[in-house]
Amino acid sequence: MEVSCRGPLFVGIDIGGTNCRVALVDDSGHVLHRRKEALRDLSFDACLEQIGGLVTAVLQGQAKSCDDIAAIGVGCPGLCYAGKVSAAANLPGWRDVPLAQELQQRCGDRPTFLVNDADAALEAEVWTGDESIRDVEDIVLLTLGTGVGTGILSGGRLLQGSRGCIEGGHVIVHPGGRRCGCGQNGCVEAYASGRALGERYMEKMASTAQPTEKVSGEMVVKRARAGDQGALETLSEAVEALALLCIALARILDPQAFVLVGGVASAGDMLLEPLAT
C-alpha cells in the first residue's frame, strides 16, 4: 500500500551477519515500507547484489524510485570508517571494501552514509526509541545478534574513535577462552552472541551424548525458559561475559543507562535481572 508523504524520504539499510533489512522512512523516522531477507552468500559482491535488490523492492512497494529519496543510511557490523568496512568478523572477506561508494553507485548516486551497526542502532534509539532515553546524553547500547556490537553516546556525542574501531564485543573477558571469529580467544562475542549461544549449547549437548539439531541463539533462550539445563548453563555463561563487559564500560564511561537490543535480548528478565545484580 502506498503511503502519502510530503517530506524527504530516506532508505535505511541494516546489514547483519545473518540477515539484511531495508526500510523506506520519512524525516520523522516513520517506517513506510520494509523488507528483510537472510543473506544467501556473505561475499561482498553477492551481498551488494542482494542489498540492491532489496532497495529496489522496498522503493517499488511505495511506487518510488531512487530519484525520490534524499539519502541512504547504512549500518554494518565491523570496523566502519570513511565509507569503508575495514574488517568484519562475521562477514568473511570484507577487507577495506568501499561499501558506501558501491551502494551509492547502485542506488542512483544518492548520498550514502555508512556507520557501524551498533552506532546506527544507538542513534535510532535516541531519535525514535523509548522516551525515557531520548534526553539522556550518556548511554551504552549493546547489540546482541549474530555478533556483539557496542554504541556509545558520551556527553551527547557519538564516540567512534580515531578509526571507527570501538568494538566492545571483542573485549577479552576470558583470556585463553573460546575462539572468536575475529581470531582472538575469550572475547565477549564468543560467549554472548546469538551464534555463540547456539554453538555452545550444541557443544554441551554433544558432551552429554544427547544429539540435537543446529540451534539458534533465540532457540537457546526459549529452551532456557522451558528449564533446559544445558540452555540455562549456556545463557549463564553469556550473562557472565556481558556483565564483565558492562562493569568495565561502567567504570570507564559512567553511563546513565545501558540499552540491550537484538535477538539475544529477547531473553528479557533472564538476561537483565542477573546483569543488574
Side-chain angles (χ1 to χ4, degrees):
M1 180 180 69
E2 184 178 351
V3 178
S4 176
C5 180
R6 295 182 179 179
L9 299 176
F10 304 87
V11 167
I13 302 173
D14 174 24
I15 303 170
T18 304
N19 301 302
C20 180
R21 298 171 176 84
V22 175
L24 180 67
V25 301
D26 64 18
D27 58 352
S28 296
H30 295 122
V31 176
L32 306 178
H33 196 71
R34 73 179 82 196
R35 291 283 296 269
K36 170 187 172 182
E37 286 184 2
L39 291 171
R40 296 184 290 269
D41 182 337
L42 294 181
S43 68
F44 181 61
D45 289 340
C47 284
L48 280 176
E49 190 70 26
Q50 187 173 357
I51 294 166
L54 275 171
V55 171
T56 298
V58 165
L59 291 173
Q60 289 178 345
Q62 289 294 303
K64 304 294 183 183
S65 71
C66 290
D67 292 336
D68 297 307
I69 60 176
I72 299 169
V74 187
C76 182
L79 309 181
C80 302
Y81 187 71
K84 293 184 178 182
V85 181
S86 301
N90 294 303
L91 294 170
W94 288 43
R95 293 280 180 179
D96 295 318
V97 292
L99 179 58
Q101 177 184 336
E102 290 287 347
L103 287 174
Q104 182 165 324
Q105 290 175 353
R106 289 169 181 262
C107 299
D109 205 32
R110 296 292 87 191
T112 302
F113 304 91
L114 169 68
V115 295
N116 174 270
D117 59 345
D119 291 341
L122 176 55
E123 294 273 29
E125 286 291 333
V126 173
W127 181 28
T128 64
D130 192 286
E131 291 186 4
S132 64
I133 65 169
R134 290 190 189 177
D135 295 324
V136 177
E137 294 193 337
D138 293 271
I139 303 173
V140 172
L141 178 140
L142 301 178
T143 57
L144 309 178
T146 303
V148 175
T150 312
I152 300 170
L153 196 71
S154 180
R157 292 178 57 251
L158 183 67
L159 297 187
Q160 295 178 297
S162 62
R163 297 172 294 131
C165 291
I166 296 177
E167 285 283 347
H170 298 291
V171 170
I172 295 173
V173 291
H174 293 302
R178 288 174 54 79
R179 188 74 168 174
C180 180
C182 72
Q184 299 184 132
N185 291 85
C187 294
V188 174
E189 186 169 301
Y191 295 88
S193 67
R195 177 174 292 170
L197 284 179
E199 291 175 352
R200 185 63 178 135
Y201 177 77
M202 292 175 67
E203 290 170 6
K204 289 180 180 292
M205 292 301 97
S207 68
T208 59
Q210 297 182 38
T212 184
E213 72 280 8
K214 186 175 182 179
V215 298
S216 65
E218 288 86 346
M219 291 171 66
V220 173
V221 170
K222 289 180 181 178
R223 294 185 184 192
R225 288 192 181 283
D228 183 302
Q229 188 59 36
L232 287 168
E233 292 174 2
T234 301
L235 193 59
S236 177
E237 292 175 358
V239 168
E240 180 185 26
L242 286 171
L244 291 170
L245 174 62
C246 288
I247 289 169
L249 291 172
R251 295 291 184 268
I252 296 169
L253 299 168
D254 189 26
Q256 295 165 274
F258 282 90
V259 178
L260 276 60
V261 300
V264 177
S266 65
D269 289 345
M270 295 186 71
L271 188 67
L272 297 177
E273 287 186 2
L275 277 178
T277 57

